[in-house]
mmCIF file of all heavy atoms in Angstrom:
data_model
loop_
_atom_site.group_PDB
_atom_site.id
_atom_site.type_symbol
_atom_site.label_atom_id
_atom_site.label_comp_id
_atom_site.label_asym_id
_atom_site.label_seq_id
_atom_site.Cartn_x
_atom_site.Cartn_y
_atom_site.Cartn_z
ATOM 1 N N ILE C 1 1.841 -192.041 58.706
ATOM 2 C CA ILE C 1 1.789 -192.407 57.366
ATOM 3 C C ILE C 1 3.045 -191.895 56.668
ATOM 4 O O ILE C 1 3.265 -190.692 56.653
ATOM 5 C CB ILE C 1 0.606 -192.055 56.484
ATOM 6 C CG1 ILE C 1 -0.771 -192.475 57.269
ATOM 7 C CG2 ILE C 1 0.585 -192.579 55.178
ATOM 8 C CD1 ILE C 1 -0.877 -193.980 57.532
ATOM 9 N N ILE C 2 3.930 -192.780 56.070
ATOM 10 C CA ILE C 2 5.100 -192.373 55.520
ATOM 11 C C ILE C 2 4.991 -192.497 53.945
ATOM 12 O O ILE C 2 4.797 -193.510 53.417
ATOM 13 C CB ILE C 2 6.356 -193.402 55.841
ATOM 14 C CG1 ILE C 2 6.417 -193.442 57.479
ATOM 15 C CG2 ILE C 2 7.556 -192.803 55.157
ATOM 16 C CD1 ILE C 2 7.456 -194.489 57.877
ATOM 17 N N PHE C 3 4.753 -191.266 53.345
ATOM 18 C CA PHE C 3 4.490 -191.196 51.900
ATOM 19 C C PHE C 3 5.858 -191.234 51.202
ATOM 20 O O PHE C 3 6.826 -190.562 51.600
ATOM 21 C CB PHE C 3 3.715 -189.928 51.625
ATOM 22 C CG PHE C 3 2.378 -189.895 52.039
ATOM 23 C CD1 PHE C 3 1.900 -189.010 52.935
ATOM 24 C CD2 PHE C 3 1.467 -190.911 51.418
ATOM 25 C CE1 PHE C 3 0.544 -189.069 53.316
ATOM 26 C CE2 PHE C 3 0.031 -190.792 51.876
ATOM 27 C CZ PHE C 3 -0.457 -189.888 52.759
ATOM 28 N N HIS C 4 5.779 -191.979 50.135
ATOM 29 C CA HIS C 4 7.079 -192.095 49.201
ATOM 30 C C HIS C 4 6.880 -191.131 48.101
ATOM 31 O O HIS C 4 5.839 -191.144 47.337
ATOM 32 C CB HIS C 4 7.090 -193.467 48.628
ATOM 33 C CG HIS C 4 7.128 -194.565 49.709
ATOM 34 N ND1 HIS C 4 7.276 -195.884 49.510
ATOM 35 C CD2 HIS C 4 6.898 -194.500 51.012
ATOM 36 C CE1 HIS C 4 7.200 -196.630 50.505
ATOM 37 N NE2 HIS C 4 6.951 -195.793 51.493
ATOM 38 N N LEU C 5 7.787 -190.197 48.084
ATOM 39 C CA LEU C 5 7.843 -189.140 46.900
ATOM 40 C C LEU C 5 9.164 -189.337 46.177
ATOM 41 O O LEU C 5 10.168 -188.775 46.706
ATOM 42 C CB LEU C 5 7.690 -187.724 47.476
ATOM 43 C CG LEU C 5 6.499 -187.519 48.403
ATOM 44 C CD1 LEU C 5 6.652 -186.037 49.051
ATOM 45 C CD2 LEU C 5 5.216 -187.422 47.703
ATOM 46 N N GLY C 6 9.170 -189.621 45.068
ATOM 47 C CA GLY C 6 10.363 -189.824 44.297
ATOM 48 C C GLY C 6 11.558 -190.513 45.091
ATOM 49 O O GLY C 6 11.483 -191.666 45.393
ATOM 50 N N GLY C 7 12.493 -189.585 45.505
ATOM 51 C CA GLY C 7 13.624 -190.059 46.284
ATOM 52 C C GLY C 7 13.576 -189.721 47.800
ATOM 53 O O GLY C 7 14.563 -189.876 48.509
ATOM 54 N N LYS C 8 12.386 -189.224 48.289
ATOM 55 C CA LYS C 8 12.313 -188.880 49.679
ATOM 56 C C LYS C 8 11.014 -189.387 50.289
ATOM 57 O O LYS C 8 10.169 -189.855 49.591
ATOM 58 C CB LYS C 8 12.521 -187.433 49.933
ATOM 59 C CG LYS C 8 11.363 -186.537 49.379
ATOM 60 C CD LYS C 8 11.635 -185.005 49.621
ATOM 61 C CE LYS C 8 10.481 -184.290 49.375
ATOM 62 N NZ LYS C 8 10.550 -182.869 49.787
ATOM 63 N N PHE C 9 11.006 -189.258 51.630
ATOM 64 C CA PHE C 9 9.928 -189.766 52.365
ATOM 65 C C PHE C 9 9.456 -188.641 53.177
ATOM 66 O O PHE C 9 10.111 -187.823 53.765
ATOM 67 C CB PHE C 9 10.315 -190.958 53.286
ATOM 68 C CG PHE C 9 10.874 -192.009 52.478
ATOM 69 C CD1 PHE C 9 12.162 -192.266 52.421
ATOM 70 C CD2 PHE C 9 10.014 -192.995 52.046
ATOM 71 C CE1 PHE C 9 12.774 -193.270 51.663
ATOM 72 C CE2 PHE C 9 10.507 -194.085 51.186
ATOM 73 C CZ PHE C 9 11.971 -194.217 51.053
ATOM 74 N N VAL C 10 7.924 -188.586 53.352
ATOM 75 C CA VAL C 10 7.343 -187.489 54.067
ATOM 76 C C VAL C 10 6.433 -188.158 55.070
ATOM 77 O O VAL C 10 5.613 -189.065 54.716
ATOM 78 C CB VAL C 10 6.599 -186.610 53.251
ATOM 79 C CG1 VAL C 10 5.767 -185.477 53.996
ATOM 80 C CG2 VAL C 10 7.585 -185.889 52.155
ATOM 81 N N CYS C 11 6.462 -187.700 56.416
ATOM 82 C CA CYS C 11 5.691 -188.182 57.405
ATOM 83 C C CYS C 11 4.405 -187.371 57.621
ATOM 84 O O CYS C 11 4.438 -186.177 57.728
ATOM 85 C CB CYS C 11 6.458 -188.243 58.692
ATOM 86 S SG CYS C 11 7.917 -189.231 58.567
ATOM 87 N N ALA C 12 3.313 -188.073 57.628
ATOM 88 C CA ALA C 12 1.932 -187.313 57.797
ATOM 89 C C ALA C 12 1.153 -187.933 58.829
ATOM 90 O O ALA C 12 1.226 -189.118 59.267
ATOM 91 C CB ALA C 12 1.125 -187.459 56.442
ATOM 92 N N ASP C 13 0.227 -187.113 59.488
ATOM 93 C CA ASP C 13 -0.553 -187.524 60.612
ATOM 94 C C ASP C 13 -1.693 -188.335 59.935
ATOM 95 O O ASP C 13 -2.386 -187.958 59.187
ATOM 96 C CB ASP C 13 -1.150 -186.218 61.240
ATOM 97 C CG ASP C 13 -2.058 -186.487 62.369
ATOM 98 O OD1 ASP C 13 -2.441 -187.676 62.628
ATOM 99 O OD2 ASP C 13 -2.349 -185.507 63.134
ATOM 100 N N PRO C 14 -1.822 -189.562 60.433
ATOM 101 C CA PRO C 14 -2.770 -190.478 59.899
ATOM 102 C C PRO C 14 -4.196 -190.060 60.224
ATOM 103 O O PRO C 14 -5.211 -190.597 59.579
ATOM 104 C CB PRO C 14 -2.426 -191.817 60.577
ATOM 105 C CG PRO C 14 -1.686 -191.464 61.737
ATOM 106 C CD PRO C 14 -1.059 -190.223 61.590
ATOM 107 N N LEU C 15 -4.430 -189.176 61.215
ATOM 108 C CA LEU C 15 -5.763 -188.682 61.475
ATOM 109 C C LEU C 15 -6.255 -187.453 60.686
ATOM 110 O O LEU C 15 -7.468 -187.142 60.754
ATOM 111 C CB LEU C 15 -5.890 -188.315 63.004
ATOM 112 C CG LEU C 15 -5.642 -189.615 64.011
ATOM 113 C CD1 LEU C 15 -5.568 -189.062 65.434
ATOM 114 C CD2 LEU C 15 -6.420 -190.691 63.730
ATOM 115 N N LYS C 16 -5.371 -186.883 59.952
ATOM 116 C CA LYS C 16 -5.755 -185.717 59.070
ATOM 117 C C LYS C 16 -6.602 -186.292 57.935
ATOM 118 O O LYS C 16 -6.205 -187.179 57.233
ATOM 119 C CB LYS C 16 -4.574 -184.970 58.613
ATOM 120 C CG LYS C 16 -3.715 -184.371 59.836
ATOM 121 C CD LYS C 16 -4.351 -183.135 60.185
ATOM 122 C CE LYS C 16 -3.552 -182.374 61.193
ATOM 123 N NZ LYS C 16 -4.158 -181.252 61.755
ATOM 124 N N PRO C 17 -7.697 -185.497 57.518
ATOM 125 C CA PRO C 17 -8.504 -185.835 56.409
ATOM 126 C C PRO C 17 -7.691 -185.936 55.085
ATOM 127 O O PRO C 17 -7.885 -186.768 54.211
ATOM 128 C CB PRO C 17 -9.562 -184.766 56.437
ATOM 129 C CG PRO C 17 -9.633 -184.293 57.789
ATOM 130 C CD PRO C 17 -8.225 -184.460 58.370
ATOM 131 N N TRP C 18 -6.749 -184.987 54.814
ATOM 132 C CA TRP C 18 -6.053 -184.905 53.668
ATOM 133 C C TRP C 18 -5.073 -186.186 53.532
ATOM 134 O O TRP C 18 -4.856 -186.797 52.363
ATOM 135 C CB TRP C 18 -5.227 -183.708 53.439
ATOM 136 C CG TRP C 18 -3.961 -183.513 54.240
ATOM 137 C CD1 TRP C 18 -3.831 -182.932 55.533
ATOM 138 C CD2 TRP C 18 -2.691 -184.092 54.056
ATOM 139 N NE1 TRP C 18 -2.499 -183.066 55.995
ATOM 140 C CE2 TRP C 18 -1.870 -183.684 55.084
ATOM 141 C CE3 TRP C 18 -2.130 -184.947 53.037
ATOM 142 C CZ2 TRP C 18 -0.592 -184.158 55.179
ATOM 143 C CZ3 TRP C 18 -0.770 -185.265 53.027
ATOM 144 C CH2 TRP C 18 0.006 -184.833 54.094
ATOM 145 N N THR C 19 -4.647 -186.646 54.645
ATOM 146 C CA THR C 19 -3.787 -187.831 54.631
ATOM 147 C C THR C 19 -4.603 -189.070 54.217
ATOM 148 O O THR C 19 -4.211 -189.844 53.361
ATOM 149 C CB THR C 19 -3.175 -188.248 56.005
ATOM 150 O OG1 THR C 19 -2.541 -187.080 56.487
ATOM 151 C CG2 THR C 19 -2.462 -189.376 56.073
ATOM 152 N N MET C 20 -5.798 -189.254 54.764
ATOM 153 C CA MET C 20 -6.684 -190.289 54.351
ATOM 154 C C MET C 20 -7.044 -190.210 52.886
ATOM 155 O O MET C 20 -7.217 -191.194 52.162
ATOM 156 C CB MET C 20 -7.984 -190.306 55.289
ATOM 157 C CG MET C 20 -7.590 -190.731 56.652
ATOM 158 S SD MET C 20 -9.047 -190.791 57.712
ATOM 159 C CE MET C 20 -8.673 -189.673 58.951
ATOM 160 N N ARG C 21 -7.306 -189.021 52.358
ATOM 161 C CA ARG C 21 -7.573 -188.768 50.903
ATOM 162 C C ARG C 21 -6.407 -189.279 50.054
ATOM 163 O O ARG C 21 -6.713 -190.040 48.980
ATOM 164 C CB ARG C 21 -8.009 -187.434 50.684
ATOM 165 C CG ARG C 21 -9.412 -186.928 50.996
ATOM 166 C CD ARG C 21 -9.812 -185.621 50.354
ATOM 167 N NE ARG C 21 -8.904 -184.567 50.677
ATOM 168 C CZ ARG C 21 -9.061 -183.810 51.804
ATOM 169 N NH1 ARG C 21 -9.943 -183.935 52.594
ATOM 170 N NH2 ARG C 21 -8.050 -182.777 52.015
ATOM 171 N N VAL C 22 -5.266 -188.870 50.417
ATOM 172 C CA VAL C 22 -4.103 -189.254 49.645
ATOM 173 C C VAL C 22 -3.997 -190.842 49.608
ATOM 174 O O VAL C 22 -3.697 -191.465 48.638
ATOM 175 C CB VAL C 22 -2.792 -188.581 50.031
ATOM 176 C CG1 VAL C 22 -1.580 -189.134 49.299
ATOM 177 C CG2 VAL C 22 -3.034 -187.087 49.751
ATOM 178 N N MET C 23 -4.049 -191.463 50.755
ATOM 179 C CA MET C 23 -3.996 -192.890 50.984
ATOM 180 C C MET C 23 -5.015 -193.568 50.020
ATOM 181 O O MET C 23 -4.766 -194.521 49.316
ATOM 182 C CB MET C 23 -4.155 -193.337 52.393
ATOM 183 C CG MET C 23 -3.147 -193.082 53.215
ATOM 184 S SD MET C 23 -3.349 -193.334 55.033
ATOM 185 C CE MET C 23 -3.571 -195.183 54.986
ATOM 186 N N LYS C 24 -6.292 -193.120 50.018
ATOM 187 C CA LYS C 24 -7.325 -193.667 49.099
ATOM 188 C C LYS C 24 -7.000 -193.528 47.747
ATOM 189 O O LYS C 24 -7.155 -194.435 46.939
ATOM 190 C CB LYS C 24 -8.660 -192.879 49.505
ATOM 191 C CG LYS C 24 -9.871 -193.423 48.837
ATOM 192 C CD LYS C 24 -11.058 -192.817 49.162
ATOM 193 C CE LYS C 24 -12.255 -193.277 48.329
ATOM 194 N NZ LYS C 24 -13.559 -192.570 48.541
ATOM 195 N N CYS C 25 -6.563 -192.322 47.260
ATOM 196 C CA CYS C 25 -6.106 -192.089 45.840
ATOM 197 C C CYS C 25 -5.103 -193.068 45.567
ATOM 198 O O CYS C 25 -5.095 -193.622 44.380
ATOM 199 C CB CYS C 25 -5.673 -190.654 45.816
ATOM 200 S SG CYS C 25 -5.105 -190.202 44.167
ATOM 201 N N VAL C 26 -4.022 -193.351 46.280
ATOM 202 C CA VAL C 26 -2.969 -194.115 46.037
ATOM 203 C C VAL C 26 -3.463 -195.568 45.929
ATOM 204 O O VAL C 26 -3.112 -196.257 44.930
ATOM 205 C CB VAL C 26 -1.771 -194.101 46.982
ATOM 206 C CG1 VAL C 26 -0.814 -195.242 46.861
ATOM 207 C CG2 VAL C 26 -1.133 -192.734 46.923
ATOM 208 N N ASN C 27 -4.345 -196.007 46.810
ATOM 209 C CA ASN C 27 -4.886 -197.345 46.833
ATOM 210 C C ASN C 27 -5.788 -197.520 45.446
ATOM 211 O O ASN C 27 -5.615 -198.675 44.823
ATOM 212 C CB ASN C 27 -5.816 -197.606 47.940
ATOM 213 C CG ASN C 27 -5.092 -197.678 49.317
ATOM 214 O OD1 ASN C 27 -3.896 -197.942 49.241
ATOM 215 N ND2 ASN C 27 -5.678 -197.480 50.362
ATOM 216 N N GLU C 28 -6.616 -196.517 45.151
ATOM 217 C CA GLU C 28 -7.366 -196.694 43.834
ATOM 218 C C GLU C 28 -6.406 -196.761 42.625
ATOM 219 O O GLU C 28 -6.764 -197.489 41.686
ATOM 220 C CB GLU C 28 -8.317 -195.362 43.703
ATOM 221 C CG GLU C 28 -9.412 -195.468 44.730
ATOM 222 C CD GLU C 28 -10.285 -194.223 44.836
ATOM 223 O OE1 GLU C 28 -9.836 -193.230 44.141
ATOM 224 O OE2 GLU C 28 -11.263 -194.229 45.435
ATOM 225 N N ARG C 29 -5.282 -196.044 42.620
ATOM 226 C CA ARG C 29 -4.372 -196.111 41.480
ATOM 227 C C ARG C 29 -3.751 -197.460 41.444
ATOM 228 O O ARG C 29 -3.633 -198.051 40.335
ATOM 229 C CB ARG C 29 -3.338 -195.080 41.701
ATOM 230 C CG ARG C 29 -2.387 -194.996 40.447
ATOM 231 C CD ARG C 29 -1.242 -193.922 40.613
ATOM 232 N NE ARG C 29 -1.422 -192.748 41.364
ATOM 233 C CZ ARG C 29 -0.658 -192.324 42.330
ATOM 234 N NH1 ARG C 29 0.553 -192.934 42.598
ATOM 235 N NH2 ARG C 29 -0.864 -191.288 43.061
ATOM 236 N N ARG C 30 -3.435 -197.992 42.650
ATOM 237 C CA ARG C 30 -2.799 -199.422 42.546
ATOM 238 C C ARG C 30 -3.836 -200.366 42.066
ATOM 239 O O ARG C 30 -3.436 -201.299 41.296
ATOM 240 C CB ARG C 30 -2.417 -199.743 44.014
ATOM 241 C CG ARG C 30 -1.237 -199.086 44.529
ATOM 242 C CD ARG C 30 -0.968 -199.606 45.904
ATOM 243 N NE ARG C 30 0.261 -198.854 46.514
ATOM 244 C CZ ARG C 30 0.609 -198.884 47.721
ATOM 245 N NH1 ARG C 30 -0.255 -199.430 48.664
ATOM 246 N NH2 ARG C 30 1.764 -198.289 48.054
ATOM 247 N N LYS C 31 -5.052 -200.287 42.459
ATOM 248 C CA LYS C 31 -6.159 -201.231 41.962
ATOM 249 C C LYS C 31 -6.326 -201.051 40.490
ATOM 250 O O LYS C 31 -6.411 -202.060 39.784
ATOM 251 C CB LYS C 31 -7.496 -200.866 42.765
ATOM 252 C CG LYS C 31 -8.536 -201.803 42.424
ATOM 253 C CD LYS C 31 -9.775 -201.503 43.214
ATOM 254 C CE LYS C 31 -10.913 -202.472 42.802
ATOM 255 N NZ LYS C 31 -12.207 -202.120 43.414
ATOM 256 N N ARG C 32 -6.379 -199.812 39.904
ATOM 257 C CA ARG C 32 -6.553 -199.618 38.438
ATOM 258 C C ARG C 32 -5.347 -200.187 37.823
ATOM 259 O O ARG C 32 -5.432 -200.871 36.759
ATOM 260 C CB ARG C 32 -6.603 -198.105 38.160
ATOM 261 C CG ARG C 32 -8.022 -197.518 38.401
ATOM 262 C CD ARG C 32 -8.131 -196.180 37.764
ATOM 263 N NE ARG C 32 -6.993 -195.285 38.018
ATOM 264 C CZ ARG C 32 -6.994 -194.430 39.001
ATOM 265 N NH1 ARG C 32 -8.042 -194.371 39.892
ATOM 266 N NH2 ARG C 32 -5.936 -193.558 39.231
ATOM 267 N N ASN C 33 -4.180 -200.101 38.216
ATOM 268 C CA ASN C 33 -2.890 -200.593 37.629
ATOM 269 C C ASN C 33 -2.992 -202.082 37.594
ATOM 270 O O ASN C 33 -2.551 -202.792 36.577
ATOM 271 C CB ASN C 33 -1.667 -200.091 38.337
ATOM 272 C CG ASN C 33 -1.431 -198.644 37.959
ATOM 273 O OD1 ASN C 33 -1.976 -198.008 37.095
ATOM 274 N ND2 ASN C 33 -0.513 -197.918 38.797
ATOM 275 N N ALA C 34 -3.308 -202.711 38.774
ATOM 276 C CA ALA C 34 -3.436 -204.146 38.887
ATOM 277 C C ALA C 34 -4.523 -204.733 37.823
ATOM 278 O O ALA C 34 -4.276 -205.728 37.194
ATOM 279 C CB ALA C 34 -3.750 -204.576 40.292
ATOM 280 N N GLU C 35 -5.661 -203.945 37.733
ATOM 281 C CA GLU C 35 -6.730 -204.331 36.789
ATOM 282 C C GLU C 35 -6.161 -204.329 35.327
ATOM 283 O O GLU C 35 -6.456 -205.226 34.540
ATOM 284 C CB GLU C 35 -8.002 -203.632 36.968
ATOM 285 C CG GLU C 35 -8.711 -203.865 38.141
ATOM 286 C CD GLU C 35 -9.852 -202.987 38.546
ATOM 287 O OE1 GLU C 35 -10.021 -201.904 37.750
ATOM 288 O OE2 GLU C 35 -10.509 -203.073 39.437
ATOM 289 N N GLN C 36 -5.431 -203.278 35.000
ATOM 290 C CA GLN C 36 -4.923 -203.066 33.659
ATOM 291 C C GLN C 36 -3.923 -204.226 33.373
ATOM 292 O O GLN C 36 -3.860 -204.779 32.290
ATOM 293 C CB GLN C 36 -4.328 -201.756 33.534
ATOM 294 C CG GLN C 36 -5.237 -200.546 33.439
ATOM 295 C CD GLN C 36 -4.641 -199.158 33.389
ATOM 296 O OE1 GLN C 36 -3.444 -199.116 33.613
ATOM 297 N NE2 GLN C 36 -5.402 -198.207 33.174
ATOM 298 N N MET C 37 -3.093 -204.595 34.353
ATOM 299 C CA MET C 37 -2.080 -205.557 34.149
ATOM 300 C C MET C 37 -2.803 -206.957 34.037
ATOM 301 O O MET C 37 -2.465 -207.785 33.094
ATOM 302 C CB MET C 37 -1.208 -205.709 35.395
ATOM 303 C CG MET C 37 -0.178 -204.446 35.516
ATOM 304 S SD MET C 37 0.761 -204.290 34.055
ATOM 305 C CE MET C 37 1.944 -205.620 34.230
ATOM 306 N N GLY C 38 -3.993 -207.138 34.677
ATOM 307 C CA GLY C 38 -4.688 -208.300 34.496
ATOM 308 C C GLY C 38 -5.273 -208.496 33.088
ATOM 309 O O GLY C 38 -5.290 -209.470 32.445
#
């Protein structure tokens, strides 16, 4: 999983629980932002 942080990229193991938590958090934030835009 290549996480985008400001001006750099960080590679994470997709099987690590923390990686999955961060992906879920980013997905939820995207969904909230899309709903707000709607």
Side-chain angles (χ1 to χ4, degrees):
I1 304 302
I2 306 171
F3 288 116
H4 308 186
L5 308 171
K8 68 179 190 171
F9 302 95
V10 177
C11 302
D13 184 344
L15 301 178
K16 295 283 185 183
W18 74 264
T19 303
M20 291 183 236
R21 277 194 305 273
V22 172
M23 290 172 63
K24 182 179 178 185
C25 176
V26 170
N27 291 340
E28 289 171 354
R29 186 184 330 134
R30 285 179 180 162
K31 184 178 177 183
R32 278 192 312 270
N33 289 343
E35 288 171 355
Q36 288 175 350
M37 292 301 290

